[in-house]
Amino acid sequence: MSNGARNTWDAWAGSVPPLVSVGTLEPSHDAAAAVTRLARAGLAGQYMVYEGEDGVWHFAAGSAVSLTAHATAITARANGRAWTSRTEGRPLMAFAAALDALSAVHGTHAQGRHFYGWAAFELAHLLHADHAATGDGPLLHALIPSVEVTLTGDETVVRAVDEAWLRKVADLLGEPASRQPLPDGTPPEAAERMIAAGAAAYGSAVARTVQDIRAGLLEKAVVSRKVPLPPGPAVDFPTTYLAGRRSNTPARSYLLDLGGYRAAGFSPETVLEVDENGRVSTQPLAGTRAYGADRAENDRRRAELLTDPKEVHEHAVSVRLAWEEVAAVCRPGSVGVEEFMAVRPRGSVQHLASRVTGRLREGAGPWDAFASLFPAITATGVSKRAALQALVRHEEGPRGLYGGAVFRGSTRGALDAALVLRTVIGQGDATWLRAGAGVTAQSSPERETEETCEKLRSVAPHLRYVAD
């Protein structure tokens, strides 16, 4: 990093106000409803809800302090000022350098300082493939909140830059919970029509990808299709999130209005988890069958999933590459597979799931691990470079947030990044769903198309709309 960039980030970090007001409130009996209420209140221009491990929920808000990285430049904002620096085509390194400067100022505090953000899928092209496919949109965005709320089963902790923020949040959380039922979701027939849109074109893309694989160009590609929502009432993202979370079983969930995107999602897996002691973990999920209300049918599909050669092969190659990517940033001998081919229910589907872990090598940090593992192998393919090239050929337009990551991190070295799947996404006047399937040499267009329909059913029936 040049001295000029270092001075830029030091000046920015020094302008970031500390969280000096702390309040402890009674625990919430419905954390999902509580954070949704905070999101709906419009406390600031940007916010994020992030559901982490073990039933811990986080809400962050404030638009005064942020980082936004494009392929060629990164802009930091704080205290009414803006700083811009060139990235030299390495935006993730510039992003990490700015957060390192923040760590130098705030990381010595007992809890450090947290940041919340997202990474667009197109960052992958800079990291692994063709720079020309990156486009000119933002690739990374992070918010350093003015107020942060953490809800556990035991307490609710509010940290804020001043007492005014603390009072606003305490007043909102102290209001009686609404007893009104959620509005009805998308009718089943309408949801199925939405899900089926574009299926024929997707089947053709799968067939072309199979031809590439059989020609030896790659081993696997996760080809996706976009489902634009029809014109009509705008999606009510907070209510959609609450309805969807009550019907899904995600590894992580999130609700955000941040950096130009709106999203409500129920991620089946993490891209990576890094704790403050340097333990790295990733959870590849690959191999899918539907999951519904019929227990006997779920068990039958589970047995089928565990013995299907195509699904097992798809999963095994994903775990192999995840191992290699973890090993690239971890100490020799520290990498292991803690879980292999378990079956996890995730909303309307069940997946084969494994977990690969390791310990960061000396001198490596969480963003080194992120650079190695992003985007998730289960959203790209094998090899990652060849799969990215195949996706450019066979998918229509950029993915944006889909297949990227939503994350929460700490200046003390922790980073938790959820894979953006099973998500309704909004940008400008457009709103859409997206789903993909892992295509291998054994794939059929019919089965992969049906798999995308199964995944879309995790979100489409739960869409709620703003009342006229």
Side-chain angles (χ1 to χ4, degrees):
M1 180 172 59
S2 69
N3 287 335
R6 183 177 293 108
N7 292 338
T8 295
W9 306 136
D10 287 347
W12 170 71
S15 298
V16 175
L19 298 180
V20 294
S21 298
V22 181
T24 302
L25 310 176
E26 292 295 315
S28 172
H29 298 297
D30 187 343
V35 293
T36 302
R37 191 187 321 162
L38 293 173
R40 187 180 291 284
L43 292 171
Q46 299 190 83
Y47 72 81
M48 182 190 288
V49 169
Y50 193 83
E51 179 189 5
E53 275 190 298
D54 302 325
V56 178
W57 300 69
H58 307 277
F59 171 81
S63 52
V65 183
S66 64
L67 284 170
T68 306
H70 293 70
T72 58
I74 180 170
T75 299
R77 293 179 175 84
N79 200 26
R81 296 182 58 194
W83 296 261
T84 298
S85 178
R86 304 290 294 176
T87 67
E88 309 301 332
R90 305 174 79 179
L92 185 57
M93 287 191 64
F95 196 76
L99 291 170
D100 282 345
L102 187 68
S103 177
V105 176
H106 294 270
T108 56
H109 298 178
Q111 296 187 44
R113 192 68 186 272
H114 295 112
F115 51 86
Y116 296 75
W118 52 257
F121 183 82
E122 280 63 45
L123 175 64
H125 295 292
L126 279 181
L127 294 174
H128 306 290
D130 180 7
H131 289 202
T134 302
D136 57 5
L139 301 177
L140 294 145
H141 183 84
L143 162 76
I144 293 83
S146 299
V147 62
E148 181 179 25
V149 185
T150 299
L151 301 93
T152 70
D154 299 322
E155 62 183 7
T156 299
V157 178
V158 185
R159 303 173 71 216
V161 294
D162 57 38
E163 288 290 329
W165 275 105
L166 199 66
R167 287 194 300 272
K168 288 178 188 176
V169 170
D171 289 346
L172 284 167
L173 291 176
E175 293 176 358
S178 172
R179 297 184 180 275
Q180 293 292 325
L182 292 174
D184 291 338
T186 304
E189 299 82 1
E192 287 302 311
R193 286 196 300 271
M194 183 190 306
I195 287 168
Y202 179 74
S204 298
V206 170
R208 295 194 302 272
T209 306
V210 170
Q211 292 175 352
D212 285 353
I213 293 170
R214 291 177 178 172
L217 299 181
L218 70 161
E219 193 169 353
K220 170 189 171 183
V222 182
V223 182
S224 69
R225 63 185 180 100
K226 185 176 182 179
V227 180
L229 270 60
V235 168
D236 184 329
F237 280 86
T239 305
T240 294
Y241 173 74
L242 188 56
R245 181 59 188 87
R246 288 177 175 171
S247 300
N248 274 281
T249 50
R252 301 288 187 272
S253 72
Y254 41 81
L255 170 67
L256 61 88
D257 188 341
L258 186 65
Y261 281 111
R262 304 177 303 283
F266 318 100
S267 175
E269 63 185 280
T270 55
V271 178
L272 84 163
E273 303 153 50
V274 184
D275 68 19
E276 293 180 3
N277 297 316
R279 182 181 185 272
V280 179
S281 174
T282 188
Q283 185 188 37
L285 270 65
T288 305
R289 285 294 185 275
Y291 188 85
D294 188 324
R295 181 175 296 180
E297 182 64 10
N298 289 337
D299 289 344
R300 185 193 68 77
R301 290 169 176 160
R302 181 181 187 277
E304 183 181 88
L305 179 59
L306 286 164
T307 56
D308 185 300
K310 182 266 179 184
E311 305 287 5
V312 171
H313 173 259
E314 179 188 347
H315 187 80
V317 297
S318 298
V319 174
R320 183 193 72 208
L321 188 58
W323 174 292
E324 294 171 359
E325 291 177 340
V326 171
V329 293
C330 286
R331 302 172 191 170
S334 72
V335 181
V337 178
E338 291 191 353
E339 180 181 60
F340 184 66
M341 278 183 51
V343 178
R344 292 280 180 269
R346 293 289 186 250
S348 60
V349 293
Q350 50 189 323
H351 293 293
L352 294 177
S354 295
R355 184 170 291 280
V356 182
T357 64
R359 291 278 174 183
L360 285 174
R361 67 170 185 263
E362 186 175 353
W367 292 106
D368 297 298
F370 188 87
S372 185
L373 285 157
F374 182 87
I377 185 60
T378 50
T380 48
V382 182
S383 70
K384 193 171 277 188
R385 178 183 177 85
L388 288 166
Q389 293 168 339
L391 297 182
V392 170
R393 292 193 298 273
H394 301 310
E395 291 186 347
E396 292 187 13
R399 286 185 172 186
L401 197 58
Y402 174 83
V406 169
F407 55 78
R408 177 181 187 264
S410 163
T411 55
R412 296 176 64 86
L415 181 62
D416 193 285
L419 174 58
V420 179
L421 303 176
R422 319 295 145 76
T423 299
V424 55
I425 301 170
Q427 186 179 38
D429 294 330
T431 309
W432 63 92
L433 306 176
R434 194 158 188 154
V439 179
T440 70
Q442 297 84 25
S443 289
S444 72
E446 297 77 16
R447 171 56 204 153
E448 305 308 352
T449 300
E450 177 55 29
E451 181 173 319
T452 65
C453 293
E454 292 166 354
K455 292 171 177 175
L456 289 165
R457 292 185 186 112
S458 289
V459 183
H462 310 301
L463 295 173
R464 267 55 174 184
Y465 300 92
V466 177
D468 293 336

